Amino acid sequence: MTRTAILVGITMQQADFEYSMAELANLAEANAIEPVGEITQKLDRKNKATYVGKGKVDEIKSLVDYEAVDLVIFNDELAPSQIRNLEELLEIEVMDRTRLILDIFAERAKTREAQLQVQVARLKYELPRVVGQGEGMDQQSGKGGLKNRGAGETKLEMDRRRIKNQISQLNKELDGLVAERQVQRRQRQKNEIPVVSLVGYTNAGKSTIMNAMVTAHSQTANKQVFEKDMLFATLETSVREIVLPDKKQFLLTDTVGFVSKLPHNLVKAFRSTLEEAAEADVLIHVVDVSHEHFDAMIKTTEETLAELDITDRPIIFAYNKADLATNVMFPRREGDSLYLSAREDTGLELLIEMIKERVFNDYQTVTFVIPFDRGDVVSYLNENADVLETAYENEGTVLRVNAQESDRMKYAAFISEDTQKEG
């Protein structure tokens, strides 16, 4: 059931304020809330009691009564006291941007890990907002005497302790899931399979790029990830194996999208999920180049990655949705940047080439001379390496191979002296 809301924001001369308010409307719609009005105010600083000034509170109240809306949504995280004051003055439910995002994440989380992470973030958000209600909290209205006052405080402390215990229990379960992920990651590292992570603003097209690559270069093409033109269409980190025609392979991961003013607790909660990006050999920063505020989106993504201490990974900038942008030539590569359209499947092979340059730079072309009684080596190289030429001589099978360093070390005894001299 769709609810209606008034959106409220204050600007302290931010260049991207209008975009931030438009995004708030998109977030509301993603949570089945229809914005029917908007009120903004220019202030030097937020009002400590009511976020906006007293006159604006009266203006909001008038619009709330006129539109008969269900709630009012504010474009920043509100202090608990501000929410209480505003709900008392407006006589309606008040929601801040953080709560709105948390509600969306709670609705979209599908895997156990994502659900646990969202629960932890919501409980941390609720903890400072626990207030006494009902008969056991009479002291809040100045009634009940010393005995009831003490009982009320005890009830409040019990509620807070209960939430802290829930957070602790959820974190323990999360730790177990994170440990499983680390085991899987160590196994991948042992197998020396490079990892490429898609990162970027929500709805930039990460999942579309992943699905296009899976369709073109995966033996599990049916394992596509969910994609839709909406904010936070998917929250889970998906991992797919990409096998190229020359037998080179890497793991492609699709991480949760970022958004401006992403709740701090939510960033912390998803830290373990985003460790895939932290451990990646290269990041693909996907940007919606058709969006008029894509520069602000790039900044938000970079700030979020910095908050997660992901600052030292090689990055490819994939300027996606070029087909929807004005005066953007594509496919076009400029250094570490690529302009493409995943929807039109244009530029993806260029992206593959850029990935190969970064994650397969330990490959060299060598010649192996393998005795006929070592058919196992020949089979391995034919199945797992890029064999360029095959010949048969008296000494054995001769393979000219574009081989990675680990294979060259593993079968160094079979590399011909001529190859070693050339190297």
Side-chain angles (χ1 to χ4, degrees), residues 26 50 55 98 183 200 281 294 378:
N26 290 335
T50 54
T98 298
V183 169
D281 295 279
F294 73 83
V378 175

Side-chain angles (χ1 to χ4, degrees), residues 90-146:
L90 299 176
E91 300 178 303
I92 197 171
E93 180 185 351
V94 167
M95 180 183 291
D96 62 13
R97 186 185 181 100
T98 298
R99 162 84 183 284
L100 180 62
I101 293 173
L102 287 171
D103 283 357
I104 295 171
F105 271 55
E107 177 69 25
R108 304 276 169 79
K110 302 301 180 187
T111 66
R112 180 58 180 163
E113 183 173 5
Q115 291 168 348
L116 289 172
Q117 289 166 333
V118 174
Q119 287 179 47
V120 168
R122 291 187 75 170
L123 288 170
K124 287 183 176 179
Y125 172 81
E126 292 171 5
L127 185 59
R129 292 165 175 79
V130 174
V131 295
Q133 296 177 347
E135 295 179 359
M137 298 292 150
D138 284 342
Q139 82 283 0
Q140 299 225 354
S141 58
K143 302 176 184 177
L146 292 175

Side-chain angles (χ1 to χ4, degrees), residues 6 22 27 35 44 50 127 146 179 186 193 195 211 218 245-246 249 298 393 422:
I6 303 295
L27 289 168
D44 293 330
T50 54
L127 185 59
L146 292 175
R186 282 195 295 270
I193 302 176
V195 177
N211 284 338
S218 177
D246 59 7
Q249 56 185 295
I298 292 173
E393 297 183 358
E422 289 172 9

Side-chain angles (χ1 to χ4, degrees), residues 139-243:
Q139 82 283 0
Q140 299 225 354
S141 58
K143 302 176 184 177
L146 292 175
K147 183 176 181 180
N148 284 340
R149 181 167 182 247
E153 288 178 341
T154 301
K155 173 70 164 61
L156 193 59
E157 225 14 76
M158 287 175 62
D159 288 342
R160 287 176 176 156
R161 192 179 301 115
R162 175 179 52 79
I163 291 177
K164 288 179 180 177
N165 287 338
Q166 281 183 275
I167 292 172
S168 178
Q169 291 171 2
L170 292 171
N171 277 329
K172 285 181 181 178
E173 188 173 347
L174 266 174
D175 288 343
L177 294 174
V178 170
E180 289 179 19
R181 186 195 300 279
Q182 289 173 340
V183 169
Q184 294 170 351
R185 187 180 297 119
R186 282 195 295 270
Q187 184 61 43
R188 293 203 299 263
Q189 291 170 343
K190 182 179 178 181
N191 294 337
E192 298 178 334
I193 302 176
V195 177
V196 177
S197 280
L198 296 160
V199 299
Y201 213 79
T202 181
N203 207 32
K206 298 185 302 299
S207 296
T208 306
I209 288 177
M210 170 172 258
N211 284 338
M213 285 196 183
V214 167
T215 299
H217 297 295
S218 177
Q219 297 173 347
T220 55
N222 61 322
K223 291 189 177 181
Q224 296 206 333
V225 298
F226 178 73
E227 59 176 278
K228 191 175 182 180
D229 184 16
M230 65 190 300
L231 300 185
F232 302 120
T234 180
L235 301 183
E236 283 70 45
T237 294
S238 303
V239 182
R240 299 291 185 270
E241 185 178 45
I242 304 298
V243 181

